[in-house]
Every structure is written in C-alpha cells, then in structure tokens.
Amino acid sequence: MPYPYNRLDAAGIEYIKSVTSPDRVAVGCDILPEYSHDEMPEYGVFPPDLYVEALNTGEVSAVMKYGYENNIPVVVRGAGSGLAGGATCKYAGILLSVVKMNRIYPVDRKNQTVTCEPGALLLDVQAAAAAEGLFYPPDPGEKTATIGGNVITNAGGMKAVRYGLTRDFVRCIQAVLPDGSVVEFSSNVVKNTTGYDVKDLVVGSEGTLCILTRVTLKLLPAPKFTCTLVMPFPDLEACADMVPKVLDLPFTPTAIEFLERELLEIVERTLNKPFPVPGGGAVLIVMYDASGREELETACDLACEAALEYGAIDCMIADTPERIASVWSVRGAILEGMKADSVGQEECDVVVPRSAIAEYVKAAKKIALAHGIRVQPCGHAGDGNIHTELLRDPGMSDEAWKSATHASLTELYALSKRLGGQLSGEHGIGNGRLEFLEPFLGERMIRLYKAIKLAFDEKLVLNPGKIVEFNTHN
Amino acid sequence: MPYPYNRLDAAGIEYIKSVTSPDRVAVGCDILPEYSHDEMPEYGVFPPDLYVEALNTGEVSAVMKYGYENNIPVVVRGAGSGLAGGATCKYAGILLSVVKMNRIYPVDRKNQTVTCEPGALLLDVQAAAAAEGLFYPPDPGEKTATIGGNVITNAGGMKAVRYGLTRDFVRCIQAVLPDGSVVEFSSNVVKNTTGYDVKDLVVGSEGTLCILTRVTLKLLPAPKFTCTLVMPFPDLEACADMVPKVLDLPFTPTAIEFLERELLEIVERTLNKPFPVPGGGAVLIVMYDASGREELETACDLACEAALEYGAIDCMIADTPERIASVWSVRGAILEGMKADSVGQEECDVVVPRSAIAEYVKAAKKIALAHGIRVQPCGHAGDGNIHTELLRDPGMSDEAWKSATHASLTELYALSKRLGGQLSGEHGIGNGRLEFLEPFLGERMIRLYKAIKLAFDEKLVLNPGKIVEFNTHN
C-alpha cells in the first residue's frame, strides 16, 4: 500500500504545467476554497496540492501517468455537485478538473446517440438531443451537473420508473486508466458480450477505477404528450399501497413521487408556494409520457379509476403546461423548503423494495424522533428510493446534532437492510457514507470491492479513500 | 498461477459425495459424453473428472470450497445450450450441474419480480410470469436454456430492441464466490449506488467470476396486443437503410429482423416452409407490442407509411395469430434451414452500429467468398447483431474448412472492429473465441480482464481458460 503518498514538489508542478498549460494550473492559496469539497462539506474538506483543468484526453492521460509514476493521488472533479464527498482530495495531490472538456459532438441520428466529453452539462446534453427531436431521459434534480459526474455516479432522478438510470443510456466510454493508458469500454453498439462488462462496472464507480474522458449516450424519440396526475390519499399507507397498483396498469408511468402533506405545508410556509391540490395526509404524483394522445388519455383514465377505487380522495389531471408546472415546481422546491425550515440537514437516500415504502417511512420517523431530530422522508415512490432528510432545529448543539444524526443513520441503514433495501439509491458512497458500507455489505463484499479497486488501480493513486479505504491508520 | 491443477483422487470423490449425495455424482466413464461439451463441440471436448448435480446453495458452496482448497477446477453447467464452448472442463476437474436447482418462487406481485434458481428453464420462467399476467421479455431462440445460463451469458434475443437484454431484467443475484463464500449482489430494488456494480459485471461473465445460485428478475405488465409487419425491399441496402427510419418513429418496435431472399429460399427449399410475402431481395420484419389497440394501429400505420415512402415494395400487416406465426416460424427456422443446406457451420455473431449493417453484410460476403465458403448473414437489424453463418459445402476437406473459417473469422472480426462494432453480440467468448479476443481488444484490456478475473478468483479454480487464459503453455 502506498501510504503515505508523496507530496507534489516544485518539479512536479512544473511538469504538470508543461503537459497542460500554466494558465490552467493553480497551486496552494490560489486554489479556490470550493475545490476542497463538493455540495456536502460535511463529508470532508480537503485542499488539493494542485488544481489543473484538462482540455483533452491526452492531458488527462499525462497528468494521471505522472501521479501513477510518482505515487501522488489524482482526483477528478466535474461541477462539484456531488452529494457523497466523492470528488475531493482526501490524501491531497492533484485535483483534475474536466469542466473545460465540455464538447458535445453532433447527434448521430442513424444510431440515435450523442457523444460528449465529461464536462458537458446535463442540461446542454438534454438540449442537444431535443434540438434533433430526440430525448435524453435521465433527469436528476441538478441540471448543471456534468454528464461525466452523472455517469460516474449513475445518476437517477424521477423518470427512472419508466426510462431507467443513467447506466441504461451509456453505450460506451473512453477512459484513462490509473497508469495513464487510454481504453474504450464497448462501442456504439446496442448489445455486447465481448468479455467482461467493464462499462457497467465503471458506471457508478465514483471516479475510483478510471477517468471518464468521453461517453456515448443512447437517445430516444421524444414523447409528444405528457400529463401529471395528483392523487391525495388519507394517509401514507394508502398512498404507498397505490404504487404497485399503478405499476400493474398496462401503461408504465414515467415518474411516481410521494409527498406527505406536512412537507407540502413546509414548502407553502417557507417558500410561499401553494400546492394545487388540497386534502389528504399524503399525495401521490404520477407522470405519464406518450407518443399518442389516445394512449396518454387511456393511461390517465385507467390510473384515475384505479386511484379512486383504492381510496384516493381525488384525482386531479394536470394536462396543461401551467398546471403541470404548478405541481412539479412544488416537488422541485422540497429540498429548498426543508433548508429554509431548519438550520442544518443530513441526508440518507436508501432504496427499499417498492413493497416496503410505507413500513420504511413509518419506522424512519420513529428512529429520528427517538434521537430528538425531525425527519421528513419523501421521494421516488416508483423506485423505492426515499430521500430521508434529517432536519436540525435551532438550538441544537453541534455535538448533539452530530451524535443524533450518526445514531439515526446507523439505524436507518440497518432498517433498510432489514427490509431488503440498499444503503444508497442515487447519491453513492464517496467519503460520506464510507463508514456505513462495511456494516451494510459485510466483510467478504468489502474484500471483493478492494480486489476490484486493485485490479484497476494497484497503486491506489486514483481518488483514494472513496468507496473503499485501505489506510487503516486513517 | 496454479497450473498444473490437481486431479481429483478417490478421497476427493468421496468428499464430493459426502457433501452432496452419491446418487448425484458420476465419475469417469459413467459421465455422459454430452457433458464434455456444449452445443459447439468444435470449441472443445473436455471430459470432467467428476460430474455432480447440486440441489442447493449449500452444496454449491461446499463443492466450490473443496475445489478452491485443493486446487481443482470447478465448472458450472446448466442446460449445455451455450454456443461459445464456455461450460466445459478445459482443465478437467469437477463439472457442477445446476439443472436440479430449478425452483421458481411465487411471483412477487407488489415488486413485479420473480426469483428463481439457476436451473429453472427460460420457458418455465416466462410461463410463471405469464400466469400472473406479467411478462419476462428476454427471448433468445433457445427456450430450454436455463435462466442461470441466460444471466451468466447476458442472453439477448429478438425483443432486445424494445425491452433490452437479460441484464436489464436482473434485479439481484445470490452467488458463490470461488472460495465458497455466499454473497448477494444488490437486492430487490429498482436502483442502487451502494458501491461497485458487481451485479452487472457478473451478468455476462460466462461463469468465470462466481457461481450464480439465485436470481431475482424484473417483470413487466404483459402487452395486450401485438402485430408484425413484413416489408420486402429491392435490396439489402434499402432494407438496412430503413432500420434507423423505423427507430425514429414515435413508437419503439419490439423487434426488427432482416432476412435476405436467398435465405428465405433456403428455408423454403430445405424445410418446405414458405414465407408468406413474395418479392424483394431483402425483407425487414418489424414487430410492435402495445397496451392499447389504437396505439398499436397508429404504430403500424406510421411504420407502413414510412416503409412505402422509403422504397419498400409492399408492407404486409400480420395481425392474426396465424399470420404472425407464418412469418416468425420461417424466421425461427433459419438456423435449421442452413444446417440442412450445408454439411457444417461456423458462426460469427458480431454486433455493429446499426448504421453499419449494410456495409458489414456486403463486406462479410466478399470475405467468405474470397476464402471459398458460403456465408449467409441475417439477424437482429434493430440492434446491429448479425449472425454470420459460415456454411460448409459437401466435398470440402476438414483442413480446407478449418483454415477457410479461421481466415474468414479473423477478417470478419477485424471488419467489425473497423466499423465500430464488437466481437460478439450475444454468444460470448468462452473457449471458442478466446484466440480472437486479444487482437480485438488489445493487450491493455486483456491485462485488465485478467486483473478482474483474479480479483474474484485468485487461484483460477472457477472455469479456468475461458474469456481469459493465463496458461501460456497451453
């Protein structure tokens, strides 16, 4: 094991400048403080020794090779919008930004794909597809995240119910391995059994196995029609019980979200955003997309019928852009509302079998309450991914907050495991959830993870200390 | 590296009997000859030292652990329907059959999944889903293959265009690692970013990383309506050019197959199965599934219109079970027809970008012709996976056939690579395509593959010599 790593010296700094460009390199105090963390500084603030912006695969390879040969960690950063403390220089070293590698190549209409560099923003990729009448479905909340970050964390989002995750849209990847080699994982083909499926292993590997330098994404014909249904239910159980019933209908919904009324009231109170449908202890929001109008109408009618049959108080069909926006803008403001309603947040994004949503939510509230903190679960009912936001009230000491969240998270993860769930549905492990991973997966799986990490990065120079930690003296 | 492996001795045989059952163990000449190969004896006939049928995960673990501790290879076999020479005892040792582990657990309606043991047959899994009004879409030609074999080779089939591959339906896997440990990769959840995506790496790993002992599969609501369109085109180019146009339409087809007229004539001549639509040098067959009748009709109308606009001679809509069967029974008889029309076959199942289908087919014919053999490509136009069947005519010597096929395959794989394709779309590498893999992927990727293999199987006791070969004295 290479601990301790070498520190970058003056010669190293000059070398990095020589293989990139001096005006794209910063060292020491010239490095912006924000490059020491992602969106969750709680998961670690680690200043890099050097920050460099690469322009192309050749530069990425040269920087990585230098790190490999000199035993200096390299960490890649996109927009810094991660929520797991993944893109940080935990052991100092080089922070390699790909934000300037943001090219989007012309859409390949015949293969219905688009190829881009990792620094391209999700919203720009979506726009490039739309300009050709095509559609890139993955739709995580943060649209100014980079596409590289989306791929490397297998970003999810609300539309996963129908379309799947980022993984399902990755055709092929060009990557730089920790020794600096440039390789391709698959190509622009629809299926592939040519040896091990390294592509899918790399998707979601949080920048610990290789550096993504180019990705080709599958696109779909854009659906022409969309509609959103809002179904208030008397309580959470009835709301959660509706989810499998919706999925049993012949048309697959694009998104199924659930929100409890008290959460809607928080958004209303803190942000003055009223939710258009009154009543009910919990609300199910169901979105349908369709290529034909009849198909959409049939899908909505069947879902409304089923909702009313299974105890919904009402079923509001939002089919104009304004009405649709009035529903989703409240859903989109949830996190902001919770932030306005508390002085601190910690988040747990477990995923449980869809059949276990209600049980999880009820138990989660009890757990948090027992530790003296508020918890507000909400999220992706269609895929069982529950964002469980722990909220800090004013007056709680740092120490009390820290120990209450730690104890709550420990129990929440154990609860998810007991219900057949997983530790993280979308946000990943990074540094922030590292300590919870081994208790969750067990020693044998961690040993396998370490062996996989070493298969790619035997010198542990690429984003060390994330997902797996070899340094027992840490 | 553990070569040479140990041979199983009398004590070993007794031990295997003791952890399983003597009536499920065979040794030496009592082992059926068919257990020395899969559907492609051309890719190697390797008699095992011992054949054992396991009944449960505990037995699988015990046998594997014995192999691990005693340096004796273990190879898992399902129905033996593989086409890559994958499930064979290349270095002797134990052949572990999972055919008796064929339980299918009750369908989980709330989560829309079914859990089964690896020996369950594909057709039984499909039937179990159908009995609950649900649908397991992957549909490779061989319905009596085991579901374990389907998962471990990431089986494809015709319906991949709309629904994807076996991989896309695998929720989670229980597996035995080469050291005998029992582990779970993911759980019955829709999405998961809890560390490395080992599940997807295991899917398609051809039994070289771990032994699958249980799998949970995603199901879908069964589509209610189906329809098949037959579009004859003057020639292959026009036919292939139609593929992206079909995929650009708002409704995604379930399957898109292409067949050249001479292939239809072979089936007609050898099997007396007439194809219901005359004319044209090449035929595109397009299948649509739908939940609503209007949706299906719109999809068919749009596709027919587009076909006639882009040069189809005709567009026949088959919408009764009889007419649909008359089309697909000919498609299903292609391989049988080619077998009846030749005295030997070798097969290449490259996958190319959809935009390159016509170019590949034309060049493939030239390549085979130059080596004095007939070639008849056909297959999955919707995903660019072309089954290129090399046909041996009577009178060709063994040596001439061997050298001509080898030379043809070498050039066909190079052609696929040049067109941005891959070596295998469905059948995998196994033993049969091993020698072609390194020239295709390059030395660095093979080195990575070897490191991945070692991460799971550092003693190389599980299905050694498949996908990667460590024994340089072989």
Side-chain angles (χ1 to χ4, degrees):
Chain A
M1 297 304 107
Y3 302 100
Y5 293 104
N6 292 329
R7 297 304 288 256
L8 201 64
D9 58 13
I13 294 167
E14 284 316 302
Y15 180 80
I16 300 298
K17 284 180 179 172
S18 78
V19 294
T20 57
S21 168
D23 62 335
R24 288 184 273 116
V25 170
V27 293
C29 301
D30 291 337
I31 300 174
L32 293 180
E34 69 194 68
Y35 296 154
S36 300
H37 58 83
D38 65 4
E39 283 290 308
M40 293 296 283
E42 295 85 344
Y43 298 155
V45 175
F46 302 109
D49 292 332
L50 179 147
Y51 170 84
V52 55
E53 290 173 345
L55 288 190
N56 54 54
T57 304
E59 291 187 358
V60 171
S61 167
V63 171
M64 186 69 247
K65 192 159 185 269
Y66 182 83
Y68 179 82
E69 287 173 353
N70 295 280
N71 195 28
I72 292 167
V74 175
V75 175
V76 177
R77 182 185 159 100
S81 57
L83 295 169
T88 56
C89 289
K90 187 169 172 183
Y91 292 98
I94 298 167
L95 187 64
L96 175 62
S97 169
V98 292
V99 287
K100 287 212 163 82
M101 289 175 69
N102 60 0
R103 220 162 123 182
I104 300 176
Y105 295 85
V107 166
D108 178 343
R109 283 215 64 100
K110 279 201 162 185
N111 290 305
Q112 288 187 330
T113 53
V114 63
T115 297
C116 29
E117 291 182 333
L121 300 187
L122 172 60
L123 60 89
D124 292 330
V125 174
Q126 289 174 331
E132 289 285 330
L134 293 168
F135 173 45
Y136 177 67
D139 198 32
E142 181 54 67
K143 309 293 185 262
T144 58
T146 62
I147 197 74
N150 271 232
V151 170
I152 220 71
T153 60
N154 189 24
M158 293 192 301
K159 296 185 178 175
V161 183
R162 172 161 181 177
Y163 297 108
L165 309 167
T166 300
R167 169 185 313 289
D168 301 301
F169 291 85
V170 177
R171 275 281 165 79
C172 57
I173 285 172
Q174 182 197 66
V176 170
L177 293 175
D179 66 0
S181 309
V182 180
V183 290
E184 309 266 347
F185 302 131
S186 198
S187 56
N188 194 351
V189 291
V190 175
K191 57 188 186 188
N192 182 13
T193 57
T194 310
Y196 296 127
D197 179 25
V198 181
K199 169 174 73 77
D200 277 292
L201 179 63
V202 162
V203 175
S205 64
E206 303 186 48
T208 65
L209 301 182
C210 59
I211 303 174
L212 190 153
T213 49
R214 200 170 63 209
V215 61
T216 297
L217 302 163
K218 168 180 151 180
L219 304 174
L220 294 176
K224 291 205 171 65
F225 304 97
T226 185
C227 171
T228 291
L229 307 178
V230 181
M231 308 167 177
F233 284 87
D235 54 35
L236 177 72
E237 283 84 344
C239 183
D241 280 350
M242 185 65 209
V243 176
K245 310 243 186 299
V246 174
L247 289 163
D248 250 2
L249 296 171
F251 298 89
T252 302
T254 297
I256 313 179
E257 300 285 303
F258 81 95
L259 297 166
E260 288 186 280
R261 180 59 64 181
E262 54 193 290
L263 195 50
L264 296 171
E265 286 165 358
I266 289 177
V267 176
E268 192 151 358
R269 187 175 70 236
T270 57
L271 306 176
N272 198 24
K273 263 184 192 276
F275 191 69
V277 181
V283 169
L284 206 63
I285 311 179
V286 181
M287 180 197 287
Y288 285 101
D289 287 344
S291 301
R293 190 177 291 283
E294 299 89 352
E295 183 193 349
L296 186 75
E297 281 169 7
T298 312
C300 289
D301 290 349
L302 289 173
C304 272
E305 261 171 51
L308 296 172
E309 184 185 342
Y310 292 108
I313 296 167
D314 190 8
C315 181
M316 188 270 265
I317 302 187
D319 54 4
T320 64
E322 297 71 31
R323 285 168 72 95
I324 291 171
S326 73
V327 175
W328 290 106
S329 74
V330 175
R331 170 63 187 96
I334 287 293
L335 197 62
E336 197 189 340
M338 289 195 283
K339 282 191 174 170
D341 194 50
S342 58
V343 299
Q345 305 83 33
E346 171 66 86
E347 125 120 56
C348 155
D349 87 314
V350 300
V351 56
V352 296
R354 289 194 286 232
S355 57
I357 294 174
E359 191 177 347
Y360 170 80
V361 171
K362 280 196 296 179
K365 286 182 174 181
K366 266 194 207 156
I367 287 171
L369 200 65
H371 294 290
I373 42 179
R374 267 196 299 157
V375 71
Q376 201 59 69
C378 76
H380 312 315
D383 50 31
N385 183 201
I386 318 292
H387 294 299
T388 312
E389 208 73 16
L390 308 175
L391 301 180
R392 180 174 177 177
D393 286 324
M396 197 172 197
S397 74
D398 282 357
E399 205 177 317
W401 168 246
K402 211 172 161 182
S403 101
T405 50
H406 192 274
S408 299
L409 288 174
T410 303
E411 289 183 43
L412 289 170
Y413 293 137
L415 169 65
S416 175
K417 192 176 159 90
R418 188 167 57 73
L419 295 174
Q422 292 291 321
L423 201 157
S424 174
E426 309 187 311
H427 295 174
I429 301 304
N431 192 48
R433 296 179 186 89
L434 193 53
E435 65 168 301
F436 300 106
L437 191 62
E438 182 157 344
F440 196 94
L441 293 178
E443 182 274 337
R444 186 64 188 90
M445 276 296 286
I446 297 297
R447 193 142 45 90
L448 181 61
Y449 277 16
K450 286 184 174 176
I452 290 170
K453 166 72 174 168
L454 287 169
F456 283 78
D457 184 15
E458 83 280 10
K459 293 178 79 172
L460 301 175
V461 284
L462 181 59
N463 203 2
K466 313 299 169 62
I467 299 185
V468 286
E469 177 58 270
F470 287 79
N471 181 9
T472 52
H473 305 294
N474 189 30
Chain B
M1 297 305 107
Y3 304 100
Y5 292 104
N6 292 328
R7 297 303 289 255
L8 201 65
D9 59 13
I13 294 168
E14 284 317 301
Y15 181 79
I16 299 298
K17 285 180 180 171
S18 77
V19 295
T20 57
S21 169
D23 63 335
R24 289 185 273 115
V25 170
V27 292
C29 300
D30 291 337
I31 301 174
L32 292 180
E34 69 194 68
Y35 296 153
S36 300
H37 58 83
D38 65 4
E39 283 290 308
M40 293 296 282
E42 295 85 342
Y43 297 156
V45 175
F46 301 109
D49 292 332
L50 180 146
Y51 170 84
V52 56
E53 290 174 345
L55 288 189
N56 54 53
T57 304
E59 290 187 357
V60 172
S61 168
V63 171
M64 186 69 247
K65 193 157 184 270
Y66 183 82
Y68 180 82
E69 288 173 353
N70 295 279
N71 196 27
I72 291 168
V74 175
V75 175
V76 177
R77 183 185 159 101
S81 57
L83 295 169
T88 56
C89 289
K90 187 169 172 182
Y91 293 98
I94 298 168
L95 187 65
L96 175 62
S97 169
V98 292
V99 286
K100 287 212 163 84
M101 290 175 67
N102 59 358
R103 218 162 125 184
I104 300 175
Y105 295 84
V107 166
D108 177 344
R109 284 217 61 101
K110 278 202 163 185
N111 290 305
Q112 288 186 331
T113 52
V114 63
T115 297
C116 28
E117 292 182 331
L121 301 187
L122 171 60
L123 61 89
D124 292 330
V125 174
Q126 288 173 332
E132 289 286 331
L134 293 169
F135 172 47
Y136 177 66
D139 198 31
E142 182 55 66
K143 309 292 186 266
T144 58
T146 62
I147 198 72
N150 271 232
V151 170
I152 220 71
T153 60
N154 188 25
M158 292 192 302
K159 295 184 178 175
V161 183
R162 173 162 179 176
Y163 296 108
L165 308 167
T166 300
R167 168 184 315 288
D168 301 302
F169 291 85
V170 176
R171 275 282 165 79
C172 56
I173 286 171
Q174 182 197 65
V176 171
L177 293 176
D179 66 0
S181 311
V182 180
V183 290
E184 309 265 347
F185 303 130
S186 199
S187 57
N188 195 351
V189 291
V190 176
K191 58 189 187 187
N192 183 13
T193 57
T194 309
Y196 296 127
D197 178 24
V198 181
K199 169 174 73 76
D200 277 292
L201 179 63
V202 163
V203 175
S205 63
E206 304 186 44
T208 64
L209 301 181
C210 59
I211 303 175
L212 190 151
T213 49
R214 199 169 64 208
V215 62
T216 297
L217 301 163
K218 167 181 152 179
L219 304 174
L220 294 177
K224 291 204 170 68
F225 304 98
T226 185
C227 171
T228 291
L229 307 177
V230 181
M231 308 166 177
F233 283 87
D235 53 36
L236 176 72
E237 283 86 343
C239 183
D241 280 351
M242 186 65 209
V243 176
K245 310 236 185 303
V246 174
L247 289 162
D248 250 1
L249 296 171
F251 298 89
T252 302
T254 297
I256 313 179
E257 298 286 302
F258 81 95
L259 297 166
E260 288 186 279
R261 180 57 66 181
E262 53 193 295
L263 195 50
L264 295 172
E265 286 166 357
I266 289 178
V267 177
E268 191 151 358
R269 186 175 70 236
T270 57
L271 305 176
N272 199 24
K273 263 182 191 279
F275 190 69
V277 181
V283 170
L284 206 64
I285 311 178
V286 181
M287 180 196 285
Y288 284 100
D289 286 344
S291 302
R293 190 177 293 281
E294 299 90 351
E295 184 193 347
L296 186 74
E297 281 168 8
T298 312
C300 290
D301 289 350
L302 289 174
C304 273
E305 261 172 49
L308 296 172
E309 185 185 340
Y310 291 108
I313 296 167
D314 189 8
C315 181
M316 188 270 263
I317 302 186
D319 53 4
T320 65
E322 297 72 31
R323 285 168 71 95
I324 291 172
S326 74
V327 175
W328 290 106
S329 73
V330 175
R331 168 64 186 91
I334 288 294
L335 197 61
E336 197 189 341
M338 288 195 283
K339 280 191 174 169
D341 194 51
S342 58
V343 297
Q345 305 83 33
E346 170 66 86
E347 126 118 57
C348 155
D349 87 317
V350 300
V351 56
V352 296
R354 289 194 286 234
S355 57
I357 294 174
E359 190 177 349
Y360 171 80
V361 171
K362 279 194 296 178
K365 287 182 174 180
K366 267 195 205 153
I367 287 171
L369 200 66
H371 293 290
I373 44 178
R374 268 196 299 157
V375 72
Q376 199 61 63
C378 75
H380 312 315
D383 51 31
N385 183 202
I386 317 294
H387 295 299
T388 312
E389 208 74 16
L390 307 175
L391 302 180
R392 178 175 179 177
D393 287 322
M396 197 172 196
S397 74
D398 282 358
E399 204 177 318
W401 168 246
K402 213 172 161 182
S403 101
T405 50
H406 193 275
S408 298
L409 288 173
T410 305
E411 289 183 44
L412 289 170
Y413 293 137
L415 168 65
S416 175
K417 192 175 159 90
R418 188 166 58 73
L419 296 173
Q422 292 290 323
L423 200 158
S424 174
E426 310 188 310
H427 296 174
I429 302 302
N431 192 46
R433 294 177 189 90
L434 193 53
E435 65 168 301
F436 300 106
L437 191 62
E438 182 158 344
F440 196 94
L441 292 178
E443 181 275 335
R444 186 64 188 89
M445 276 295 287
I446 296 297
R447 192 142 46 89
L448 181 60
Y449 276 16
K450 287 184 174 175
I452 290 170
K453 166 71 174 167
L454 286 168
F456 284 77
D457 184 15
E458 82 281 10
K459 293 178 77 173
L460 301 175
V461 284
L462 181 60
N463 202 4
K466 312 298 169 63
I467 299 185
V468 286
E469 177 58 272
F470 287 79
N471 180 8
T472 52
H473 305 294
N474 190 29

